[in-house]
Amino acid sequence: MSKKTTPDNLETLRHSTAHVLAMAVFEMFPEAKYAIGPAIENGFYQDIDLPRTLIPEDLDILEEKMKAIIKANFPFEHAEAPIDEAMHDFEKAGQPYKAEMIRDLKEKGENKVSIYKSGSLVDLCKGPHLDSTGEIPLDAFKLTKVSGAYWKGDEKNKMLQRIYGVAFATKADLKDYLHMLEEAEKRDHRKLGKELDLFCFSDLVGPGLPLYTPKGTVLKDELQKHIESVCRKYGFQKVSAPSLAKPELFEISGHAKKFGDELFHVTSEKKHDFVLKPVQCPHQTQIYASKTRSYRDLPIRYMESDKQYRAEKTGEVGGLSRVYAITVEDGHSFCRVDQVKDEIKNMVNIIKDLYSSIGLWDNHWVSLSVRDYEHPEKYIGEPSDWDICEKILQEVSDEMGLEAKRCEGEAALYGPKLDFMFKDATGREIQIPTVQIDFATPKRFGLEYINEKGEKVPPVMVHRAILGSYERFLVLLIEHFAGAFPTWLSPVQTIILPISEKFKDYASSVEKQLLEADVRTEIDASDESLGKRIRAAKMQKVPYILVVGGKEIASNTVAVNARDSKDQTVMPVGEFLEKIIAEIKEKK
Amino acid sequence: MSKKTTPDNLETLRHSTAHVLAMAVFEMFPEAKYAIGPAIENGFYQDIDLPRTLIPEDLDILEEKMKAIIKANFPFEHAEAPIDEAMHDFEKAGQPYKAEMIRDLKEKGENKVSIYKSGSLVDLCKGPHLDSTGEIPLDAFKLTKVSGAYWKGDEKNKMLQRIYGVAFATKADLKDYLHMLEEAEKRDHRKLGKELDLFCFSDLVGPGLPLYTPKGTVLKDELQKHIESVCRKYGFQKVSAPSLAKPELFEISGHAKKFGDELFHVTSEKKHDFVLKPVQCPHQTQIYASKTRSYRDLPIRYMESDKQYRAEKTGEVGGLSRVYAITVEDGHSFCRVDQVKDEIKNMVNIIKDLYSSIGLWDNHWVSLSVRDYEHPEKYIGEPSDWDICEKILQEVSDEMGLEAKRCEGEAALYGPKLDFMFKDATGREIQIPTVQIDFATPKRFGLEYINEKGEKVPPVMVHRAILGSYERFLVLLIEHFAGAFPTWLSPVQTIILPISEKFKDYASSVEKQLLEADVRTEIDASDESLGKRIRAAKMQKVPYILVVGGKEIASNTVAVNARDSKDQTVMPVGEFLEKIIAEIKEKK
């Protein structure tokens, strides 16, 4: 998700390192059949069909072989070959995956293919590459893991082995990255999601379709209540649209073309023909269109948290990061041209409010994502409209002190936008919120309002994402806080531990007071020792553990063990209640 | 939805009246081609293909002709005919719809058909009928309207004309019914939904797919908040499941077979194969199954408000009553056998709480819906389990004073249940809440818990619907309250009308105080006269209209016009605030 922070030659370095890995694998397994080996964020991977499953120790051997290849300094030689000749050569060389890729290219009408040769490896590859393997730093790459990957990402195809590696320009960069990775692994949302019982999967329901347990549902609901209450303060009204629509709706909006084979089609034996919505904008235009609107009614601001559906590749879904249905908190303002600037400021303030409340605002930067001026054909709409929009966004940036960086070529299809980038606790860059100006969609749907002169004119649509999808935002929250959510978000906010059986009644009376104040509370009165129960509660990252025994009953107090403190503080029940209620209210 | 309150012979009377109508139509249009003409609740209808569209005056003519046919006292004569002969006869008689119905029967393997003859009419009909037309009371039926109806309910087929009629045993019953109908028409949710701007439809989205406007969304959300807070008090925890699942999930649960062609299938160009959930129980079993459960963990109570999908016939969707996706507030308790009784009592108490809060509890009756003892083959599960369940339900009824009527043959496939029937303001009977015991589903999914002896045994599942689907419940609420919702449910709770322009600032300061107290408030400061604005607000059924002018500013008061009162009461702003906050809190 990083945006223009990675120099282009790092990508070349990573891609060339993938080739070196392929060469090393060949030395180990001459019968290897290789598939793709692209550069990815922070590194590269190589998919290979091998006679046996790799073990972790193999990675050390491969790294040594890679170093030898780098030292040998083989040049990367580029050539073009006629497509049939290339297909024949790869088939003859026993490389069926490459041959299939060439066949696919031929079906698309290509008649030549690009080939790179380096040392013993001849690969179908578009490049670019370094000049020679020797340019790769010897101490700035590392093979990290092996996993399974379906050929072409389709679970109906053969499962290949995927070797992942990371590669940087310097040893120091590699070290920093590995440290971040180690931290991220501890915080992995799939691991914590299971440990904290937030969500689960079922073989009968299917992968890519998470089920939220009661605790995960609290998290999602609290988030929704919070974002909706923030947006309501800024004049957004909640609407509720169906998940289905006739295909026509998305043909008009342009999304049918944009999403193509990512669309889910809904049919029945009764010959129904619907599409599961991939985005929410088109449905919201139809609520706007249900009444005659006057210039006095604008701006009209709609928001909704609802599921959007994308037919992701079956082999690629996993955890909450890649699922078939994401629950998106989407919102739009339908306004007049003279209101656009205030609408954008309004939305930027919402973003500031929300991300401040989870401690991310202090570490952000903003992209003013404008057109690629050399390729105006990539966009829709009038250049004069684009000029107005870009000017408005620049003014918003100046007036609000956003110091947005102009990023050319990063605009949306229909207009320029402001994108907000944050860094989470592990240092990863996250891009979620965005504000986009759109003159095109209202025209496509024939939306109108009556202006002061009594004429029917189209409104402007301003799109905004604040937290994006709940699924991705939960990944961010879980990993950012390593499961130790702020109290207002914690599924269980306090847990009461009676020292022994005879203090259970008192524990219940304290629980009752907390529940009545809407503090999410549990009692653990199991037979386990107090120490064990405290450890279990700390593992569950409950913000406050309240121990109660004879002393506490006598003084109507609780012994408070805060999650992030080693000390225990005894305080009256009423005082604890006040403290936690204030903390929840202030979303600290 | 009435349950055993209509004597069987009323249905016979209505069906025979439909035949009399068909005979009358024939006299008017000898070329008429008739389709089906069943008895329905309160009356009957007849679908006919006619050479011209009927006008309301035609109904009077038809009624007169029907009376003459009744007076002529034609006997209803029953006969059976070989299927091919019957098909030939109906084709020859120029009755293609009847011929097609006979063809369908033949495809199902029938070799004979049942025929009724009366006067000039020979009809394909299963009966039963009265002995002769003279048994129909002359003054207790009425033709009510004509509408379009697709042949076989499929919009791809020809649109026929459907003549509706009502028929009763006595003139007095007819009169009562027509009065209720008149009242119901005024309250029709489609009419009020538009007038009060609660929901809308879009041709691009499609019929059967309502879009909720901001006001309708408030209504739905307030309802959800209320039911969830009531259920939370009774120990239910919210969960959140996806809309999709592999077909396998519903094959195991038995719903794939049960819903058949009502299932929506979800596919993609990437060869995905999912089903949109028609019910929520199977998904909830999978959350239960995600962890090992102990007897100490039970009961585990899940609830969720989520959309369920049914592929209704395209020609039959309309308003909110029949839609493709209903949002159901569904809930289940997974418990031990010894807990079942308390679980049911718990659920009955929730039903009592909710329906009391909207004033319907005082007018209810309960059905203890048990097996059809003569046909045990219609059910699944062990007879001994059924005996236990029926006994438990009887005990609950006795101990809670429900006075449930035993209704044989009304049980669910997997177990007996308690059904609750209410009467709305127009006198219509409504059946929504239900509590059902289910020994079968947990076994089908292999659900388990570890009992006190350390053995793995299946839990019992108790299903409960409280408000059923939001869509149907909204229909009930809109029509029951005729749009004048209690204050807590009203989309706009107060509207402030400044007498003129110069009192706008004061109006805004009052608005601010109300909004801060979470009272949903609007200002109408348009150029219209005060009288016109008051009428508009009353049309919108806003509970409180606050008029403010010079006198109110001077005394820091508001002039309160309650929706259901002709008087205006001036009171301090603070006093009004206290009054409305209390009213909202108490859900009066």
Side-chain angles (χ1 to χ4, degrees):
Chain A
M1 272 299 147
S2 70
K3 194 159 201 157
K4 300 213 177 280
T5 54
T6 309
D8 285 349
N9 65 345
L10 255 184
E11 198 175 322
T12 307
L13 166 72
R14 284 163 182 159
H15 186 44
S16 293
T17 313
H19 272 240
V20 171
L21 168 60
M23 287 154 76
V25 172
F26 255 109
E27 284 186 13
M28 237 172 122
F29 301 98
E31 62 277 64
K33 292 168 184 38
Y34 53 113
I36 55 170
I40 54 174
E41 204 182 348
N42 302 308
F44 56 89
Y45 68 74
Q46 179 69 52
D47 285 354
I48 321 187
D49 191 356
L50 291 176
R52 71 160 169 86
T53 303
L54 292 174
I55 55 172
E57 288 75 7
D58 291 329
L59 297 186
D60 299 336
I61 301 169
L62 283 170
E63 271 181 22
E64 285 313 309
K65 287 190 185 294
M66 285 170 74
K67 283 178 188 166
I69 292 164
I70 291 168
K71 283 183 195 153
N73 199 16
F74 295 111
F76 281 98
E77 293 167 76
H78 184 229
E80 287 201 324
I83 201 151
D84 288 319
E85 187 187 312
M87 202 182 328
H88 176 259
D89 288 350
F90 278 99
E91 266 168 7
K92 210 173 124 194
Q95 294 298 341
Y97 301 106
K98 292 289 167 181
E100 185 175 334
M101 284 160 74
I102 297 173
R103 201 152 43 240
D104 291 346
L105 287 171
K106 193 178 170 183
E107 274 170 22
K108 282 187 190 152
E110 301 286 335
N111 54 26
K112 283 185 303 192
V113 294
S114 166
I115 302 282
Y116 271 89
K117 188 176 172 308
S118 182
S120 60
L121 187 79
V122 181
D123 198 358
L124 172 76
C125 174
K126 276 209 170 158
H129 276 290
L130 302 173
D131 289 339
S132 69
T133 60
E135 290 179 22
I136 300 171
L138 274 170
D139 53 4
F141 77 92
K142 188 174 167 49
L143 298 182
T144 50
K145 63 171 179 177
V146 181
S147 74
Y150 293 104
W151 166 234
K152 291 181 172 173
D154 184 342
E155 66 178 4
K156 295 196 176 67
N157 287 336
K158 183 165 185 188
M159 169 87 85
L160 310 176
Q161 297 190 70
R162 177 171 292 177
I163 307 172
Y164 283 95
V166 292
F168 293 87
T170 67
K171 187 178 172 180
D173 286 352
L174 173 66
K175 202 180 146 200
D176 286 351
Y177 176 75
L178 291 176
H179 175 74
M180 189 186 87
L181 207 66
E182 200 181 319
E183 194 53 33
E185 245 167 58
K186 270 190 264 171
R187 293 164 179 255
D188 186 294
H189 77 280
R190 285 163 299 191
K191 184 172 155 277
L192 285 172
K194 209 176 160 67
E195 283 170 17
L196 304 177
D197 192 18
L198 300 176
F199 54 89
C200 60
F201 290 90
S202 149
D203 288 343
L204 294 177
V205 174
L209 295 167
L211 298 126
Y212 294 92
T213 60
K215 286 184 183 165
T217 306
V218 167
L219 211 52
K220 205 159 63 98
D221 269 10
E222 285 299 320
L223 213 49
Q224 180 168 354
K225 272 199 292 196
H226 180 47
I227 181 80
E228 286 178 359
S229 109
V230 171
C231 290
R232 207 174 287 120
K233 231 173 58 188
Y234 286 97
F236 278 85
Q237 297 181 297
K238 222 174 135 179
V239 294
S240 177
S243 325
L244 302 173
K246 293 199 229 167
E248 209 181 333
L249 184 75
F250 301 106
E251 279 152 23
I252 293 177
S253 72
H255 291 105
K257 196 173 155 196
K258 184 177 169 194
F259 288 104
D261 68 356
E262 281 183 56
L263 283 187
F264 275 123
H265 296 273
V266 178
T267 54
S268 78
E269 287 175 28
K270 292 179 184 147
K271 313 257 182 269
H272 292 91
D273 178 18
F274 293 118
V275 168
L276 275 171
K277 64 179 171 193
V279 290
Q280 298 182 36
C281 340
H283 276 96
Q284 291 193 7
T285 67
Q286 297 308 294
I287 298 176
Y288 177 93
S290 70
K291 276 181 79 173
T292 304
R293 311 287 178 181
S294 140
Y295 67 96
R296 279 184 301 248
D297 301 331
L298 303 187
I300 289 174
R301 306 184 189 101
Y302 293 148
M303 62 171 166
E304 181 175 13
S305 288
D306 202 14
K307 286 172 189 155
Q308 302 179 171
Y309 298 82
R310 308 268 171 90
E312 303 282 353
K313 287 186 183 173
T314 48
E316 291 186 354
V317 292
L320 293 183
S321 324
R322 189 69 73 91
V323 294
Y324 292 122
I326 53 174
T327 314
V328 173
E329 199 287 314
D330 202 0
H332 300 90
S333 170
F334 299 87
C335 62
R336 307 187 305 255
V337 175
D338 64 287
Q339 294 173 322
V340 171
K341 197 161 142 184
D342 280 345
E343 287 307 292
I344 294 169
K345 285 186 178 176
N346 200 10
M347 292 170 180
V348 172
N349 279 325
I350 299 176
I351 294 168
K352 192 173 167 183
D353 259 28
L354 182 82
Y355 285 83
S356 296
S357 78
I358 53 166
L360 285 177
W361 183 256
D362 291 342
N363 201 346
H364 81 275
W365 70 272
V366 182
S367 159
L368 200 176
S369 304
V370 296
R371 283 165 290 179
D372 177 350
Y373 295 99
E374 287 172 21
H375 294 284
E377 75 282 359
K378 291 201 292 189
Y379 308 94
I380 59 174
E382 298 303 310
S384 57
D385 284 348
W386 277 83
D387 291 341
I388 297 171
C389 294
E390 290 182 2
K391 189 166 159 277
I392 292 173
L393 290 181
Q394 187 60 59
E395 285 170 11
V396 169
S397 171
D398 294 343
E399 290 167 26
M400 298 188 84
L402 298 178
E403 299 178 23
K405 281 192 229 171
R406 262 184 116 78
C407 295
E408 284 189 20
E410 297 284 339
L413 173 73
Y414 44 69
K417 55 191 176 116
L418 290 177
D419 294 313
F420 293 75
M421 261 65 65
F422 302 97
K423 271 202 166 45
D424 78 359
T426 68
R428 274 178 306 192
E429 191 166 82
I430 290 148
Q431 180 196 338
I432 295 178
T434 178
V435 178
Q436 315 181 350
I437 314 182
D438 177 5
F439 282 73
T441 302
K443 290 176 188 165
R444 284 185 171 223
F445 282 109
L447 303 186
E448 297 171 338
Y449 70 91
I450 316 267
N451 70 11
E452 276 146 305
K453 297 179 202 152
E455 300 156 340
K456 290 180 175 174
V457 293
V460 182
M461 211 167 154
V462 188
H463 305 241
R464 102 282 182 286
I466 309 292
L467 62 73
S469 87
Y470 286 83
E471 287 73 18
R472 264 190 67 199
F473 201 79
L474 283 179
V475 171
L476 162 66
L477 285 181
I478 295 169
E479 300 189 350
H480 178 62
F481 291 114
F485 305 109
T487 305
W488 69 275
L489 269 174
S490 290
V492 179
Q493 296 168 319
T494 60
I495 188 159
I496 308 171
L497 312 182
I499 290 176
S500 76
E501 181 74 23
K502 59 179 172 179
F503 307 114
K504 267 171 91 169
D505 284 351
Y506 181 66
S508 297
S509 86
V510 174
E511 183 194 30
K512 205 173 153 228
Q513 293 172 67
L514 287 164
L515 290 177
E516 268 168 16
D518 285 325
V519 177
R520 294 185 290 272
T521 308
E522 283 184 358
I523 291 184
D524 179 358
S526 68
D527 304 336
E528 299 290 356
S529 73
L530 183 64
K532 229 172 173 177
R533 282 183 285 152
I534 290 180
R535 274 194 300 281
K538 292 224 167 181
M539 282 286 291
Q540 287 295 306
K541 323 245 169 146
V542 178
Y544 294 102
I545 303 169
L546 309 182
V547 177
V548 295
K551 250 190 359 208
E552 284 73 25
I553 296 187
S555 55
N556 197 26
T557 56
V558 285
V560 181
N561 296 261
R563 178 177 57 195
D564 41 10
S565 154
K566 280 181 184 162
D567 302 327
Q568 173 168 295
T569 318
V570 177
M571 61 174 84
V573 179
E575 191 184 323
F576 174 71
L577 248 175
E578 261 175 49
K579 176 184 151 67
I580 194 168
I581 290 171
E583 193 177 316
I584 292 169
K585 200 176 160 198
E586 289 161 25
K587 305 211 154 40
K588 271 185 192 164
Chain B
M1 273 300 147
S2 68
K3 193 160 203 155
K4 302 215 177 277
T5 54
T6 308
D8 284 349
N9 65 346
L10 254 185
E11 198 176 323
T12 307
L13 167 73
R14 285 165 182 158
H15 186 44
S16 294
T17 314
H19 272 238
V20 172
L21 168 60
M23 288 154 75
V25 173
F26 255 109
E27 285 186 14
M28 236 173 122
F29 302 98
E31 61 278 64
K33 292 167 185 34
Y34 53 113
I36 56 169
I40 54 174
E41 202 182 350
N42 302 307
F44 56 89
Y45 68 76
Q46 179 69 52
D47 286 353
I48 321 187
D49 191 354
L50 292 175
R52 70 161 170 85
T53 304
L54 293 173
I55 55 173
E57 288 75 7
D58 290 329
L59 297 186
D60 298 337
I61 301 169
L62 284 169
E63 273 182 20
E64 286 313 307
K65 288 189 184 295
M66 286 170 74
K67 283 178 187 165
I69 292 164
I70 291 168
K71 283 181 195 152
N73 199 15
F74 296 112
F76 282 98
E77 294 168 74
H78 184 230
E80 286 200 325
I83 201 152
D84 289 319
E85 186 186 313
M87 203 186 323
H88 176 259
D89 288 350
F90 277 99
E91 267 168 6
K92 209 173 123 195
Q95 294 298 340
Y97 302 105
K98 292 289 167 182
E100 185 175 334
M101 284 159 74
I102 297 172
R103 202 152 40 241
D104 291 346
L105 287 171
K106 193 178 168 185
E107 274 170 23
K108 282 187 189 153
E110 300 286 334
N111 53 26
K112 283 186 304 192
V113 295
S114 167
I115 302 282
Y116 271 88
K117 188 178 170 308
S118 181
S120 60
L121 186 80
V122 182
D123 198 359
L124 171 76
C125 174
K126 277 208 169 159
H129 277 289
L130 302 173
D131 289 337
S132 69
T133 60
E135 289 180 22
I136 299 171
L138 272 171
D139 54 3
F141 77 92
K142 188 171 166 50
L143 299 182
T144 50
K145 64 171 179 175
V146 182
S147 73
Y150 294 103
W151 166 235
K152 290 182 173 173
D154 184 341
E155 67 177 3
K156 295 197 176 68
N157 288 336
K158 186 167 184 187
M159 167 88 83
L160 310 176
Q161 297 190 71
R162 176 171 292 178
I163 307 172
Y164 284 95
V166 292
F168 293 87
T170 67
K171 187 178 171 179
D173 286 352
L174 173 66
K175 202 181 145 199
D176 286 351
Y177 176 74
L178 291 177
H179 174 74
M180 189 187 87
L181 206 64
E182 202 181 320
E183 194 53 35
E185 246 167 59
K186 271 190 263 171
R187 294 164 179 256
D188 186 294
H189 79 279
R190 285 163 298 192
K191 183 171 157 277
L192 286 172
K194 210 178 158 64
E195 283 171 16
L196 303 178
D197 193 18
L198 300 177
F199 54 88
C200 61
F201 290 90
S202 149
D203 288 341
L204 293 178
V205 174
L209 295 166
L211 298 126
Y212 293 92
T213 61
K215 286 183 182 166
T217 307
V218 167
L219 211 53
K220 205 158 63 96
D221 270 10
E222 285 298 320
L223 214 50
Q224 181 168 352
K225 272 198 291 193
H226 180 46
I227 181 81
E228 286 178 358
S229 109
V230 171
C231 291
R232 208 173 288 121
K233 230 172 59 189
Y234 287 96
F236 278 85
Q237 297 180 297
K238 220 173 136 178
V239 293
S240 177
S243 325
L244 302 172
K246 292 199 231 169
E248 208 181 335
L249 185 74
F250 302 106
E251 279 152 22
I252 293 176
S253 72
H255 291 104
K257 194 174 159 197
K258 183 175 171 199
F259 288 104
D261 66 358
E262 281 183 58
L263 282 188
F264 276 123
H265 296 272
V266 178
T267 53
S268 77
E269 288 174 27
K270 292 181 185 143
K271 313 254 181 271
H272 291 90
D273 177 19
F274 293 118
V275 167
L276 275 171
K277 65 179 170 194
V279 291
Q280 298 181 35
C281 340
H283 276 97
Q284 291 192 7
T285 66
Q286 296 308 294
I287 299 177
Y288 177 93
S290 70
K291 277 180 78 173
T292 304
R293 312 288 178 178
S294 139
Y295 67 95
R296 280 183 302 246
D297 301 330
L298 304 186
I300 289 174
R301 307 184 188 102
Y302 293 148
M303 63 170 165
E304 181 175 14
S305 288
D306 201 14
K307 286 172 188 154
Q308 301 178 172
Y309 298 81
R310 308 268 171 90
E312 302 283 351
K313 286 186 182 171
T314 48
E316 290 185 354
V317 292
L320 292 184
S321 324
R322 189 70 73 89
V323 294
Y324 291 122
I326 53 175
T327 313
V328 174
E329 200 288 315
D330 202 1
H332 301 90
S333 170
F334 299 87
C335 62
R336 307 188 304 256
V337 175
D338 65 286
Q339 294 172 323
V340 170
K341 196 160 143 185
D342 280 344
E343 286 308 292
I344 294 170
K345 284 186 177 175
N346 200 10
M347 292 170 182
V348 172
N349 280 325
I350 299 177
I351 294 168
K352 192 172 167 183
D353 258 28
L354 182 82
Y355 285 83
S356 296
S357 78
I358 53 166
L360 286 176
W361 182 257
D362 291 342
N363 201 346
H364 80 276
W365 70 274
V366 183
S367 159
L368 200 176
S369 304
V370 297
R371 283 165 289 180
D372 177 350
Y373 296 100
E374 288 173 19
H375 294 284
E377 76 282 0
K378 292 201 291 190
Y379 307 94
I380 60 174
E382 297 304 309
S384 56
D385 286 347
W386 277 83
D387 291 341
I388 298 171
C389 294
E390 291 181 2
K391 189 166 158 278
I392 292 173
L393 290 180
Q394 186 62 58
E395 284 171 10
V396 169
S397 171
D398 295 343
E399 289 167 26
M400 299 187 82
L402 297 177
E403 299 178 23
K405 282 192 228 170
R406 262 183 115 78
C407 295
E408 285 188 19
E410 297 283 340
L413 172 74
Y414 44 70
K417 54 190 177 118
L418 289 177
D419 294 313
F420 292 76
M421 262 65 67
F422 302 97
K423 271 202 166 45
D424 79 358
T426 68
R428 274 178 305 192
E429 192 167 82
I430 290 147
Q431 180 197 337
I432 295 179
T434 179
V435 178
Q436 315 182 351
I437 314 182
D438 177 4
F439 282 72
T441 302
K443 290 175 187 164
R444 284 186 171 221
F445 282 109
L447 303 186
E448 298 170 337
Y449 70 91
I450 316 266
N451 70 10
E452 276 145 307
K453 297 178 203 152
E455 302 156 338
K456 290 181 176 175
V457 294
V460 183
M461 209 168 156
V462 188
H463 304 241
R464 101 282 184 287
I466 310 293
L467 62 73
S469 87
Y470 285 83
E471 287 73 17
R472 264 189 69 199
F473 201 80
L474 282 178
V475 171
L476 163 66
L477 285 181
I478 295 169
E479 301 189 350
H480 178 63
F481 291 114
F485 305 109
T487 305
W488 70 274
L489 268 174
S490 290
V492 179
Q493 296 168 320
T494 60
I495 187 160
I496 308 172
L497 311 181
I499 289 176
S500 76
E501 181 72 23
K502 60 181 170 177
F503 306 115
K504 267 172 89 168
D505 284 350
Y506 181 66
S508 297
S509 86
V510 174
E511 184 194 28
K512 205 173 154 230
Q513 292 172 68
L514 287 163
L515 289 177
E516 268 168 17
D518 285 324
V519 178
R520 294 184 290 272
T521 308
E522 283 185 357
I523 291 184
D524 180 357
S526 69
D527 304 336
E528 299 291 354
S529 73
L530 182 64
K532 229 170 172 178
R533 282 182 285 152
I534 290 180
R535 274 194 301 282
K538 293 224 166 180
M539 283 286 290
Q540 287 296 304
K541 323 245 169 147
V542 178
Y544 293 103
I545 303 168
L546 308 183
V547 178
V548 295
K551 249 188 2 205
E552 283 74 26
I553 295 188
S555 55
N556 196 24
T557 56
V558 285
V560 182
N561 295 261
R563 178 177 57 195
D564 41 9
S565 154
K566 279 182 185 161
D567 301 329
Q568 174 168 293
T569 318
V570 177
M571 61 174 84
V573 178
E575 191 183 325
F576 174 71
L577 248 175
E578 262 175 48
K579 175 183 150 67
I580 194 168
I581 290 171
E583 193 177 317
I584 291 168
K585 201 176 161 197
E586 289 160 27
K587 303 212 154 41
K588 273 186 189 163

